[in-house]
Amino acid sequence: MVVLAVGVGAFRLVGWSDSDTSAAPPSSFPGDGPATPPTPATPARTTPVRTAPAAPGGYFSDATSLPTAFTAKIGKPLKILQLVIYPEYAILQAEDPGKKGNVDRYMLRGNVGDPEPVQLAGDEKDRLDQHLLPVASVDFSLVPKMVKDARARLRYEGAEVSHIILDRGIPFFDDIVWRVYVSGPRDSGRVEYTTRGQVRKVYR
């Protein structure tokens, strides 16, 4: 007998949304079939790619595994429309390397889930190439430094870093930026950084 359990989370991040999203991660369990069960053909894009965030701060402590995990699932060249990082999971919008102009959303929580189509509109649809950024141009080792710096600059009572967004600053500018969001019970704000980890602007 073979038992399969699959969970799929649906996510929608639009523009510069600061809202949190969560869902149960996809999972699978081996069956107890015969000694030599038939092996079904599985497309490469649906093969789970497992990664684990570093403890105790999750991906805020070490985000260097993210590009490897997403690239293994999606393929090359990996071009990002937007990446949102939380301590224990990440949500990526990226162009399909095999279908130029198609953008899909991927959830990484233990595994990189299967793609879900993203409906583009306006400038993102008309000038997608200008919005995309190559993952190779981003230094993910800077994430812990930016998290620590943002907390030091926004010393709000009981505040913690809630999430980090990576994308271009369009329509205000074309540069690639990190946005580190700090939130507490009384105040919230964000700090923007360049791809070199330099502070661009503090929003209080």
Side-chain angles (χ1 to χ4, degrees):
M1 177 180 66
V2 179
V3 181
L4 295 178
V6 179
V8 180
F11 307 89
R12 176 65 174 165
L13 290 177
V14 181
W16 300 21
S17 172
D18 302 349
S19 60
D20 194 352
T21 54
S22 61
S27 59
S28 60
F29 301 90
D32 333 317
T36 56
T39 303
T42 304
R45 285 174 61 87
T46 60
T47 302
V49 179
R50 177 164 289 277
T51 183
Y59 292 119
F60 289 174
S61 294
D62 185 358
T64 56
S65 65
L66 292 178
T68 300
F70 281 118
T71 300
K73 178 70 175 184
I74 302 169
K76 296 181 179 180
L78 180 57
K79 295 183 179 180
I80 297 174
L81 180 59
Q82 184 185 76
L83 172 65
V84 185
I85 305 174
Y86 296 89
E88 302 300 327
Y89 64 99
I91 303 171
L92 177 73
Q93 293 183 15
E95 184 179 49
D96 183 343
K99 295 181 180 179
K100 186 175 176 60
N102 284 8
V103 173
D104 296 304
R105 182 184 298 103
Y106 297 83
M107 170 75 168
L108 167 57
R109 179 179 259 164
N111 297 329
V112 178
D114 291 336
E116 297 181 359
V118 173
Q119 291 187 6
L120 301 177
D123 193 63
E124 284 186 348
K125 185 173 184 178
D126 297 336
R127 297 196 309 137
L128 179 60
D129 285 342
Q130 280 67 45
H131 287 261
L132 295 172
L133 60 100
V135 70
S137 66
V138 181
D139 184 358
F140 284 82
S141 69
L142 295 173
V143 168
K145 172 187 173 183
M146 293 185 295
V147 168
K148 182 178 180 180
D149 183 77
R151 289 184 61 188
R153 292 177 185 276
L154 299 175
R155 293 183 177 277
Y156 298 142
E157 178 183 341
E160 297 290 343
V161 173
S162 59
H163 62 290
I164 303 169
I165 296 180
L166 172 69
D167 58 12
R168 291 193 184 273
I170 298 173
F172 303 103
F173 48 84
D174 292 340
D175 295 343
I176 301 170
V177 292
W178 291 99
R179 297 183 180 87
V180 181
Y181 291 79
V182 179
S183 181
R186 299 183 186 278
D187 297 283
S188 62
R190 74 176 188 268
V191 183
E192 289 186 355
Y193 298 88
T194 68
T195 53
R196 296 183 178 182
Q198 299 169 331
V199 178
R200 290 191 74 259
K201 194 170 183 178
V202 178
Y203 294 85
R204 300 181 184 276

